[in-house]
Amino acid sequence: MLDVKDIHTYYGDSYILQGVSLSVSEGQVVALMGRNGVGKTTTMRSIAGLTPPRMGSIVFKGREISHLPAYSIAHMGMGLVPQGRRIFGSLSVLEHLTVFRGKDKERRKDWTLERIFSLFPPLRNRTKQKGSTLSGGEQQMLAIGRTLVTNPELLLMDEPTEGLSPLFVKEVGRAIQSLKKEGKLSILLVEQNLAIGLKLADYMYIMNKGVIVFEGLSEGLLNRPDIQSTYLGI
């Protein structure tokens, strides 16, 4: 589904990603973990076309996309749930979920409004509420739903549990677990919560200072307290 090979990404003269490689198979959940500021969000932005790498290769569904504009990548079937949610405060829940669906003839119809409300029941009774009036957890649910209605094949999720109460962390985790069980969607998940990462991910990558310092099955990380302590602060 996704194959990232040796990408190097800069912000101006700042050298952020220094040869990052990772892959996501069809139907797989992959976690990208690490402390703040190590390059996780830049990796997601590079894949989505928002901050293209200067060197390296990104192949999505067999096509090289590293130099394509973000909108072209999105139209190919990649969806991004951004860090910080980025909800439009003046739009209602229903407007978010309707506007981002696009025209019927331009999209598949896998993710209907009813499916979104089934995945996130609290949104069902909030359809007329403006985004700015929702709680942080409700905004995160809406951010995920807003991306799902575009019917992506690969879902990039950047810190979906960041800043949420334990109750909403559990709800968002349950939703991701549900998506994983269906097996129709590939997910690249940036997360700092190790428990969430271990529970949801089939495979894990850990970053430090712009490079991948560990990769392996989730179970393998449990037997590496040195890696957890050094790179995750656990």
Side-chain angles (χ1 to χ4, degrees):
M1 180 63 68
L2 177 72
D3 195 11
V4 178
K5 294 183 178 179
D6 194 31
I7 61 170
H8 299 254
T9 302
Y10 294 72
Y11 289 123
D13 293 329
S14 298
Y15 188 12
I16 308 300
L17 302 185
Q18 304 178 24
V20 169
S21 299
L22 58 83
S23 63
V24 182
S25 298
E26 188 171 348
Q28 187 180 39
V29 178
V30 173
L32 178 60
M33 304 190 69
R35 292 173 171 169
N36 285 333
V38 299
K40 304 187 302 298
T41 291
T42 302
T43 301
M44 300 292 256
R45 289 179 60 85
S46 293
I47 294 169
L50 299 172
T51 308
R54 292 188 188 177
M55 295 178 287
S57 172
I58 303 174
V59 177
F60 176 47
K61 298 196 301 183
R63 181 180 176 185
E64 172 64 52
I65 64 169
S66 59
H67 300 296
L68 291 181
Y71 67 85
S72 294
I73 296 172
H75 286 166
M76 289 177 63
M78 186 184 297
L80 173 65
V81 181
Q83 184 180 32
R85 301 182 279 273
R86 304 293 181 89
I87 293 300
F88 294 94
S90 62
L91 295 184
S92 70
V93 168
L94 185 59
E95 287 170 336
H96 275 90
L97 298 178
T98 302
V99 169
F100 284 83
R101 293 175 74 197
K103 298 178 181 178
D104 284 349
K105 65 180 181 180
E106 295 177 349
R107 62 180 178 83
R108 304 189 315 278
K109 299 182 180 180
D110 299 343
W111 280 97
T112 63
L113 292 179
E114 182 57 36
R115 279 197 72 191
I116 297 298
F117 294 144
S118 295
L119 185 64
F120 297 118
L123 296 182
R124 188 184 296 275
N125 297 322
R126 303 281 192 274
T127 55
K128 295 181 179 180
Q129 282 191 224
K130 301 296 185 183
S132 59
T133 69
L134 301 176
S135 70
E138 290 166 344
Q139 287 187 358
Q140 187 62 68
M141 292 178 179
L142 180 57
I144 297 172
R146 175 183 63 185
T147 305
L148 289 175
V149 293
T150 68
N151 288 290
E153 295 174 65
L154 173 64
L155 186 63
L156 309 181
M157 307 184 77
D158 195 352
E159 302 276 14
T161 67
E162 181 182 32
L164 302 186
S165 68
L167 176 62
F168 278 113
V169 168
K170 183 177 180 180
E171 282 297 303
V172 170
R174 176 197 56 77
I176 299 172
Q177 186 71 47
S178 177
L179 295 174
K180 178 181 178 179
K181 279 186 176 181
E182 289 185 4
K184 297 180 180 179
L185 188 62
S186 303
I187 300 175
L188 178 58
L189 172 69
V190 163
E191 187 55 72
Q192 288 197 62
N193 187 318
L194 179 60
I196 292 289
L198 289 172
K199 180 178 181 180
L200 297 175
D202 302 301
Y203 200 82
M204 304 187 80
Y205 294 88
I206 296 179
M207 290 191 74
N208 186 55
K209 297 180 180 179
V211 298
I212 301 294
V213 294
F214 171 87
E215 66 170 284
L217 296 173
S218 301
E219 294 84 352
L221 186 57
L222 289 172
N223 301 319
R224 295 297 304 273
D226 56 326
I227 294 292
Q228 295 180 37
S229 176
T230 302
Y231 299 114
L232 299 177
I234 298 172

